[in-house]
């Protein structure tokens, strides 16, 4: 080694040969480089090479995408050392040295960054490669591959420019596949490829091998910030400041002949977790051929028949690597003329099902303990187990993208009206409800639909919240969607969309596809293997896991999935049902207290039955019921709709028409209720104070339901939650009123029943006066959706569809605060509320019921705050169970 390759302890060192690194140096060498280093140190057959560190990549960006001082000279020195080790010369015709230039971040990002193979070829070295291998066709095939890959990655040319010429050549010669093209064909294509570069890149294809290498290294660094890499990092919560390493590796060739080939394998099945070698092998090919799908590969097990000694050696290496890393490995390898070379080992990406099963198997095999098994599985990944998903074998194009508001995939025929969704579903058709945005009036259509797609709204919009509660896929805020409700048509990214057309939405990714795709259904109940794994998590966690549920069906599902209580039952969703919405509207339109009381008396039996169903489903567990929260106008048609409707009625039927008079009265009431900012207007506890009879009816229904169930010998634990309290006076007035009704009902029924009255903490002021609120509130539940909204001053329905995506791009925001809890701002307010609340009332029970309660990092923060429980949508309960356990053992923070 030359002196340029510095002491291994040097923090500023830019270049490391493989034998100098270690497997635990992923932060510096990236995952691929660390894996190559560990395999080299273990004596496995790895081609020689070196790694340029992730820190060098960060320096490259800090200098405005320029090479750090000393990098070019260091690479030149490293290449001289690589020449010495291989006995080949870089850029020299006789026995030329060729290299691959590969990316390698510390976290696996398969396919997201760039790779270049066969670098070092030019018109001179290609002839030397042909003579040295005795295979002219192989040499020219390697050269055309290099030009294609280099031109695409470095010169940003469309690869189809080159592929089209190959297709033309095959058509001209009447052959079906690339391997049927001879040396002369590839030599002709190389010449034509250079013409493409000259025409479209405005320069000659570089023939200086060091220029090729320098440009390739820069292109790999640049690929760290490619759009696909940024999107992948954002989805997988990978920091932007990690950078990628660059691995320069002496080429070994799998496309010299039938005794050569390339393959990818996993030490266990990444889809099912089954303990067997899983992968593919392609004879007489390079790695890109496996990925491209141009030829059908063999199963890895077929290698045992064709090259048994290679297979035996590979199987032994695979087993040793899994034993060494104590986890399933993803392996890449090449066979060159019967000799095996290992090109990669890394922890293998796997499905959620496989991740859980592998963790359980490794515990049973004595490789890891339960604590490590709990830490091994991404809590977020469990989401995919409980929702339909697109068959991974499906090929499709993404037509548009929105916000991933509620996970799962759905295919159906487009309908634009909620009533149509019901009618079509009753006719046996699967539908996707497509709306500008949903309102309470649309709930029956959402229930009928397989999924929901909206043009506006965010991850905490009405559509998102209701869909998540129902376990229904939803893509919200799809800006490429333009809807014309009058004609029942739309355009999606400029393409026409008509009622009855098939579309597929993926609420896990936010993708929208035209056409019907094949879906894989989720299990109907918790599989035994997942129940076993989550029982281990339950033994490790401190936080209780509750659920947000508005119906008995939701409550039963939550309980099946392990919920220990209901943290939020939204009573307004009960008002939205079609059989009671007219009564609710009659109550709102009532112009006297007596008329309002009459309407409420009709609602009381409905509410009582609602609460009987939920309390019975959660027998023995607490059920927190939030009194009416939204402004009254949400239960009425929109002002815009009524203006159009009354105008049309007046023109068509005249002002004396009974229908016109009735709709005009509704319009007048809507105008009276209209507010400039309804989010901060007459809603939450303010509604209950101005219209106390509404809250009184709800509390009466709760406790009559509780008494009926108690009389049947069932244990019920109702908790009444007052929404939106900001002052101790609001808390006292509403709490005293609710307690008076509850105590009256219990006295009339002669039932002794423990209950609690508390508040949803969703205003910054509530957090800083929590000590005063705790004098009257017996529990706190953080409503972090609204607390985030009021802390930031963001309208959540508008922000996620407008500026938040741009804020994320500009790194003004690290995460969407409506999806990941903002610890610095909202979290500080929560911390203050916990401190003040428990200071005033020892043992005050505190939880969280916003959707953050099912987001793993937010759950970890709740654990750190010392909350008693988190509450989330039923289908996110398993996620929260695992996240709470991981927080308790320090696996996430």
């Amino acid at each position: 080694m030359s002196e340029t390759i510095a002491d291994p302890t040097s923090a500023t060192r830019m270049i490391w040969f493989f034998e100098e690194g270690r497997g635990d140096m992923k932060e510096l060498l990236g995952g691929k480089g660390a894996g190559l280093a560990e395999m080299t140190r273990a004596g496995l057959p790895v081609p020689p090479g070196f790694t340029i560190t992730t820190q060098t990549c960060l320096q490259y960006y800090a200098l405005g995408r320029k090479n750090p001082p000393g990098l070019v000279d260091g690479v030149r020195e490293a290449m001289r050392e690589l020449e010495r080790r291989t006995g080949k010369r870089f850029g020299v015709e006789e026995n030329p040295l060729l290299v691959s230039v590969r990316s390698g971040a510390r976290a696996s990002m398969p396919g997201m960054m760039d790779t270049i193979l066969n670098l070092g070829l030019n018109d001179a070295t290609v002839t030397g490669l042909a003579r040295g291998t005795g295979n002219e066709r192989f040499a020219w095939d390697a050269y055309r591959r290099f030009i294609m890959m280099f031109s695409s990655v470095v010169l940003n040319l469309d690869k189809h420019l080159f592929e089209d010429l190959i297709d033309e050549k095959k058509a001209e010669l009447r052959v079906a596949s690339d391997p049927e093209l001879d040396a002369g064909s590839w030599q002709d294509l190389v010449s034509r490829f250079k013409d493409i570069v000259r025409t479209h890149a405005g320069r000659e294809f570089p023939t200086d091998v060091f220029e090729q290498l320098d440009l390739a290294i820069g292109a790999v660094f640049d690929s760290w910030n490619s759009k696909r890499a940024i999107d992948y990092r954002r989805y997988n919560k990978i920091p932007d400041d990690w950078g990628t390493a660059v691995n320069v590796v002496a080429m070994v060739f799998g496309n010299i002949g039938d005794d050569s080939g390339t393959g990818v394998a996993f030490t266990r099945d990444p889809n099912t977790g089954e303990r067997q070698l899983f992968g593919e092998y392609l004879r007489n090919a390079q790695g890109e051929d496996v990925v491209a799908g141009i030829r059908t590969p063999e199963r890895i097990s077929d290698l045992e028949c064709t090259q048994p000694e290679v297979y035996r050696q590979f199987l032994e290496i695979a087993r040793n690597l899994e034993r060494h890393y104590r986890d399933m490995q993803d392996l890449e390898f090449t066979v060159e003329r019967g000799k095996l070379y290992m090109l990669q080992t890394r922890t293998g990406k796997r499905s959620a099902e496989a991740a859980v099963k592998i963790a359980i198997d490794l515990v049973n095999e004595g490789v890891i303990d339960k604590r490590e098994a709990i830490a091994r599985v991404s809590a977020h990944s469990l989401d995919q187990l409980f929702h339909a998903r697109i068959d991974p074998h499906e090929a499709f194009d993404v037509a548009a993208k929105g916000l991933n508001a509620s996970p799962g995939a759905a295919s159906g025929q487009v309908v634009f009206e909620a009533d149509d969704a019901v009618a079509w579903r009753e006719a046996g058709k699967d539908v996707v409800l497509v709306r500008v945005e949903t309102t309470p009036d649309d709930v029956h259509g959402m229930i009928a639909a397989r999924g929901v797609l909206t043009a506006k709204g965010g991850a905490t919009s009405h559509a998102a919240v209701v869909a998540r509660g129902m376990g229904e896929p939803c893509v919200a805020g799809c800006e490429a969607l333009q809807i014309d409700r009058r004609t029942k048509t739309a355009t999606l990214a400029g393409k026409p969309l008509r009622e009855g057309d098939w579309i597929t939405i993926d609420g896990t990714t936010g993708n929208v596809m035209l056409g019907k795709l094949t879906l894989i259904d989720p299990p109907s109940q918790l599989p035994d293997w997942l129940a076993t794994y989550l029982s281990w998590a339950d033994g490790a966690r401190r936080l209780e896991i509750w659920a947000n549920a508005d119906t008995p069906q939701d409550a039963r599902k939550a309980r099946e999935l392990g919920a220990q209580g209901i943290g939020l039952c939204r009573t307004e969703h009960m008002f939205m049902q079609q059989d009671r919405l007219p009564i609710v509207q009659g109550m709102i339109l009532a112009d006297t207290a007596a008329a309002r009381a009459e309407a409420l008396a009709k609602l009381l039996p409905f509410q009582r039955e609602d609460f009987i169903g939920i309390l019975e489903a959660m027998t023995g567990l607490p059920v927190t019921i939030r009194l009416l929260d939204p402004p009254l106008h949400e239960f009425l048609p929109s002002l815009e709709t009524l203006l159009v409707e009354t105008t049309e009625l007046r023109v068509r039927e005249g002002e004396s028409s009974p229908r016109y008079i009735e709709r005009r009265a509704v319009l007048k009431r809507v105008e009276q209720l209209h507010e400039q900012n309804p989010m901060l207007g007459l809603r939450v506890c303010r509604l209950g104070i101005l219209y106390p009879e509404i809250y009184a009816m709800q509390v009466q229904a709760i406790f009559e339901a509780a008494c009926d169930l108690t009389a049947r010998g069932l244990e019920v634990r109702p908790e009444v939650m007052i929404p939106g309290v900001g002052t101790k006076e609001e808390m006292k007035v509403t709490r005293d009123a609710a307690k008076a009704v509850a105590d009256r009902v219990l006295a009339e029924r002669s039932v002794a029943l423990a209950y609690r009255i508390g508040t949803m903490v969703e205003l910054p002021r509530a957090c800083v006066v929590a000590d005063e609120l705790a004098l009257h509130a017996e529990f706190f539940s953080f409503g972090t959706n609204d607390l985030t909204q009021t802390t930031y001053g963001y309208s959540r329905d508008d922000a996620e569809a407008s500026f938040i995506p741009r804020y994320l791009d500009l790194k003004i925001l690290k995460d969407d605060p409506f999806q990941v809890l903002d610890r610095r701002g909202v979290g500080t307010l929560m911390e203050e509320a916990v401190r003040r609340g428990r200071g005033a009332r020892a043992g005050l029970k505190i939880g969280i019921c916003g959707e953050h309660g099912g987001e793993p990092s937010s759950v970890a923060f709740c654990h750190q705050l010392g909350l008693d429980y988190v509450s989330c949508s039923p289908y996110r309960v398993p996620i929260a169970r695992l996240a709470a356990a991981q927080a308790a053992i320090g696996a996430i923070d």
Side-chain angles (χ1 to χ4, degrees):
M1 286 296 299
S2 67
E3 294 181 2
T4 305
I5 308 303
D7 173 52
T9 61
S10 171
T12 59
R13 180 178 177 187
M14 290 187 283
I15 297 173
W16 297 66
F17 272 82
F18 293 155
E19 74 277 3
E20 299 172 316
R22 300 186 308 276
D24 61 358
M25 295 175 66
K26 288 183 180 180
E27 290 188 15
L28 186 65
L29 303 180
K32 189 183 294 289
L36 289 166
E38 192 76 359
M39 288 193 295
T40 300
R41 289 166 66 91
L44 299 183
V46 176
F50 57 87
T51 300
I52 303 171
T53 68
T54 59
Q55 289 301 310
T56 308
C57 175
L58 298 179
Q59 287 180 270
Y60 171 85
Y61 279 106
L63 294 170
R65 295 174 55 226
K66 294 180 180 178
N67 286 327
L71 176 61
V72 172
D73 291 341
V75 169
R76 298 292 189 277
E77 181 66 22
M79 289 301 295
R80 285 192 287 272
E81 176 61 25
L82 197 57
E83 288 178 325
R84 188 188 67 77
R85 295 184 181 199
T86 60
K88 300 179 179 182
R89 299 289 302 280
F90 190 50
V92 175
E93 181 176 333
E94 288 303 315
N95 197 19
L97 170 64
L98 306 183
V99 296
S100 64
V101 181
R102 299 172 180 261
S103 61
R106 71 171 83 168
S108 176
M109 296 174 59
M112 294 303 110
M113 290 178 292
D114 290 325
T115 292
I116 298 172
L117 305 179
N118 305 329
L119 189 143
L121 280 171
N122 56 30
D123 292 349
T125 56
V126 69
T127 59
L129 182 65
R131 283 196 302 271
T133 59
N135 190 332
E136 187 177 14
R137 183 201 175 280
F138 152 71
W140 285 101
D141 179 33
Y143 194 9
R144 70 90 186 175
R145 290 172 184 267
F146 170 56
I147 294 175
M148 286 180 67
M149 200 172 290
F150 188 93
S151 298
S152 173
V153 171
V154 178
L155 303 180
N156 295 313
L157 298 186
D158 189 336
K159 63 182 179 180
H160 293 104
L161 294 170
F162 305 94
E163 291 172 349
D164 289 347
L165 284 184
I166 295 175
D167 290 340
E168 289 175 14
K169 176 64 73 173
K170 288 188 290 189
E172 174 191 331
L173 299 177
R174 298 183 179 180
V175 298
S177 63
D178 292 1
E180 296 176 85
L181 294 177
D182 60 16
S185 297
W186 289 126
Q187 187 171 3
D188 176 56
L189 283 169
V190 163
S191 176
R192 295 172 69 184
F193 283 3
K194 291 179 184 177
D195 291 339
I196 289 176
V197 172
R198 194 176 300 114
T199 300
H200 292 274
R203 59 159 296 169
E204 297 294 327
F205 188 84
T207 56
D208 182 284
V209 294
F210 282 106
E211 181 186 6
Q212 293 174 359
L213 183 57
D214 291 342
L215 289 172
I217 291 169
V220 172
F221 282 155
D222 286 340
S223 71
W224 173 252
N225 274 341
S226 67
K227 183 181 185 303
R228 66 179 185 269
I230 291 171
D231 289 344
Y232 185 90
R233 289 200 299 274
R234 183 172 298 159
Y235 182 77
N236 290 280
K237 309 296 184 187
I238 297 172
D240 290 330
D241 59 0
W242 280 3
T244 181
V246 178
N247 300 284
V248 179
V249 190
M251 281 295 303
V252 288
F253 300 100
N255 57 333
I256 294 182
D258 284 342
D259 61 349
S260 305
T262 186
V264 176
F266 296 82
T267 55
R268 303 189 187 220
D269 190 319
N271 295 311
T272 67
E274 187 177 356
R275 190 182 182 186
Q276 66 174 14
L277 200 61
F278 177 95
E280 296 175 327
Y281 179 73
L282 197 56
R283 278 183 291 172
N284 195 15
Q286 285 197 314
E288 61 180 299
D289 296 331
V290 179
V291 178
I294 296 171
R295 293 163 53 196
T296 303
E298 305 168 11
R299 291 177 302 177
I300 190 71
S301 55
D302 293 341
L303 193 59
E304 186 175 12
C305 299
T306 57
Q307 292 178 285
E309 182 56 31
V310 170
Y311 180 77
R312 183 202 61 76
Q313 183 186 7
F314 179 73
L315 190 61
E316 181 180 357
I317 288 172
R319 289 171 176 166
N320 288 338
L321 285 171
E322 180 176 283
R323 190 178 304 115
H324 176 76
Y325 284 102
R326 301 165 58 248
D327 201 356
M328 184 259 276
Q329 294 296 291
D330 171 3
L331 309 171
E332 290 183 13
F333 65 97
T334 284
V335 179
E336 181 182 279
R337 289 179 167 170
K339 179 174 173 55
L340 174 67
Y341 291 94
M342 299 302 299
L343 304 181
Q344 172 180 278
T345 185
R346 63 185 176 190
T347 300
K349 293 285 185 183
R350 63 205 79 179
S351 70
E353 177 180 342
V356 173
K357 288 181 175 179
I358 289 171
I360 292 172
D361 287 346
L362 290 175
V363 170
N364 293 336
E365 293 163 21
V367 178
I368 61 176
D369 59 22
K370 290 180 181 178
R371 183 185 179 92
E372 188 168 355
I374 291 168
R376 282 278 178 96
V377 179
S378 162
H380 186 267
S381 73
L382 297 187
D383 214 13
Q384 65 185 251
L385 296 175
F386 301 99
H387 303 279
R389 62 188 190 277
I390 297 171
D391 188 325
H393 299 103
E394 279 274 21
F396 58 86
D397 293 321
V398 176
K401 195 172 181 67
L403 293 164
N404 50 331
S406 182
S411 279
Q413 293 176 273
V414 170
V415 294
F416 296 99
E417 298 292 341
D419 290 341
D420 293 335
V422 174
W424 285 43
R425 182 63 180 272
E426 289 175 349
K429 298 178 180 179
D430 291 335
V431 300
V432 173
L433 180 60
V434 179
R435 303 283 283 164
V436 175
E437 56 189 339
T438 63
T439 70
D441 285 345
D442 295 321
V443 169
H444 62 298
M446 295 178 68
I447 293 170
R450 292 291 186 185
V452 179
L453 171 65
T454 68
K456 296 182 179 179
T460 53
S461 63
H462 174 268
V465 171
V466 174
R468 274 196 298 270
M470 295 191 300
E472 182 170 311
C474 176
V475 174
C478 180
E479 293 184 343
L481 177 65
Q482 302 291 325
I483 298 174
D484 185 340
R485 289 183 57 192
R486 289 174 175 270
T487 61
K488 292 187 177 180
T489 61
T491 58
L492 186 67
K495 297 178 180 178
L497 195 63
R498 299 177 180 84
E499 186 176 61
D501 289 347
W502 281 87
I503 63 169
T504 300
I505 64 170
D506 188 341
T508 304
T509 63
N511 291 336
V512 183
M513 285 67 63
L514 295 172
K516 182 180 181 180
L517 299 181
T518 303
L519 306 181
I520 298 175
D521 291 329
S524 59
Q525 58 187 16
L526 210 62
D528 290 342
W529 48 269
L530 183 57
T532 296
Y533 182 75
L534 290 176
S535 71
W536 297 352
D538 292 341
R541 63 180 166 86
R542 178 191 60 78
L543 276 171
E544 289 189 1
I545 309 302
W546 295 15
N548 303 338
D550 306 331
T551 67
Q553 294 82 2
D554 288 348
R556 283 191 288 271
K557 176 56 67 175
R559 191 162 191 162
E560 286 175 17
L561 297 177
Q564 297 165 281
I566 298 298
L568 175 62
C569 174
R570 308 173 187 87
T571 54
E572 60 269 17
H573 290 172
M574 300 169 180
F575 285 7
M576 297 172 187
Q577 297 180 29
Q578 288 298 290
D579 58 349
R580 59 193 74 175
L581 189 57
I583 303 174
V584 175
Q585 292 175 342
M587 181 267 293
I588 297 170
L589 295 172
D591 52 8
T592 66
R596 195 156 44 247
E598 181 180 350
L600 287 168
K602 294 178 183 177
L603 282 174
L604 177 62
F606 288 117
Q607 284 271 268
R608 183 169 55 239
E609 289 304 310
D610 292 332
F611 298 139
I612 285 175
I614 291 176
L615 289 166
E616 185 173 9
M618 300 302 291
T619 300
L621 298 175
V623 176
T624 308
I625 300 169
R626 183 181 72 184
L627 302 184
L628 195 62
D629 176 275
L632 293 179
H633 75 81
E634 287 197 8
F635 300 99
L636 298 172
S638 72
L639 179 63
E640 293 80 5
T641 299
L642 284 168
L643 285 169
V644 172
E645 185 179 2
T646 53
T647 300
E648 290 177 346
L649 281 170
R650 179 164 51 83
V651 171
R652 189 172 63 247
E653 300 181 14
E655 295 185 0
S656 60
S657 160
R659 177 65 175 165
Y660 171 77
I661 294 171
E662 183 266 326
R663 300 312 285 170
R664 178 63 188 163
V666 175
L667 173 60
K668 183 178 179 181
R669 184 60 172 148
V670 169
E671 288 173 335
Q672 290 171 346
L673 293 172
H674 180 72
E675 297 174 305
Q676 293 301 317
N677 191 344
M679 164 65 194
L680 302 176
L682 182 56
R683 55 169 298 216
V684 294
C685 68
R686 301 183 283 277
L687 184 65
I689 291 172
L690 266 64
Y691 298 100
E693 57 271 23
I694 297 177
Y695 277 13
M697 179 277 291
Q698 292 191 295
V699 175
Q700 181 177 341
I702 292 168
F703 285 92
E704 286 182 357
C707 288
D708 288 350
L709 293 172
T710 301
R712 288 164 45 190
L714 301 180
E715 180 190 354
V716 292
R717 296 169 57 186
E719 300 190 349
V720 179
M721 184 155 66
I722 312 294
V725 169
T727 70
K728 66 178 184 296
E729 291 80 9
E730 286 176 328
M731 187 69 240
K732 184 177 188 306
V733 167
T734 50
R735 186 259 185 190
D736 289 351
K739 187 175 187 306
V741 175
D743 289 347
R744 173 177 59 78
V745 173
L746 294 176
E748 289 172 354
R749 297 290 192 92
S750 300
V751 172
L753 181 69
Y755 66 90
R756 282 193 282 215
I757 299 175
T759 187
M760 178 180 275
V761 178
E762 49 192 331
L763 298 172
R765 190 179 197 280
C767 295
V768 298
V769 298
D771 49 344
E772 296 179 358
L773 302 184
L775 298 176
H776 306 286
E778 296 169 292
F779 68 86
F780 285 171
S781 180
F782 288 108
T784 49
N785 295 343
D786 278 353
L787 185 57
T788 299
Q789 192 167 215
T790 52
T791 299
Y792 272 93
Y794 292 172
S795 166
R796 67 188 184 200
D797 288 348
D798 299 320
E800 290 188 311
S802 55
F803 63 84
I804 283 183
R806 184 61 177 151
Y807 269 34
L808 293 171
D809 289 339
L810 296 173
K811 298 182 175 58
I812 293 172
L813 289 173
K814 179 182 177 183
D815 298 295
D816 180 345
F818 293 108
Q819 298 195 30
V820 179
L821 191 66
D822 163 39
R823 298 188 183 193
R824 181 69 184 91
V826 175
T828 299
L829 288 169
M830 292 172 65
E831 188 174 12
E832 182 72 3
V834 170
R835 183 183 66 80
R836 286 178 174 271
R838 287 184 174 154
R841 184 187 288 266
L844 180 69
K845 189 159 191 172
I846 306 178
I848 178 177
C849 62
E851 275 305 304
H852 295 103
E855 193 282 314
S857 69
S858 305
V859 172
F861 181 68
C862 292
H863 171 85
Q864 294 167 17
L865 276 186
L867 301 194
D868 296 294
Y869 67 88
V870 297
S871 187
C872 56
S873 299
Y875 288 95
R876 301 187 86 181
V877 166
I879 298 173
R881 289 169 68 185
L882 179 55
Q886 291 176 338
I889 66 174
I892 57 174
D893 54 37

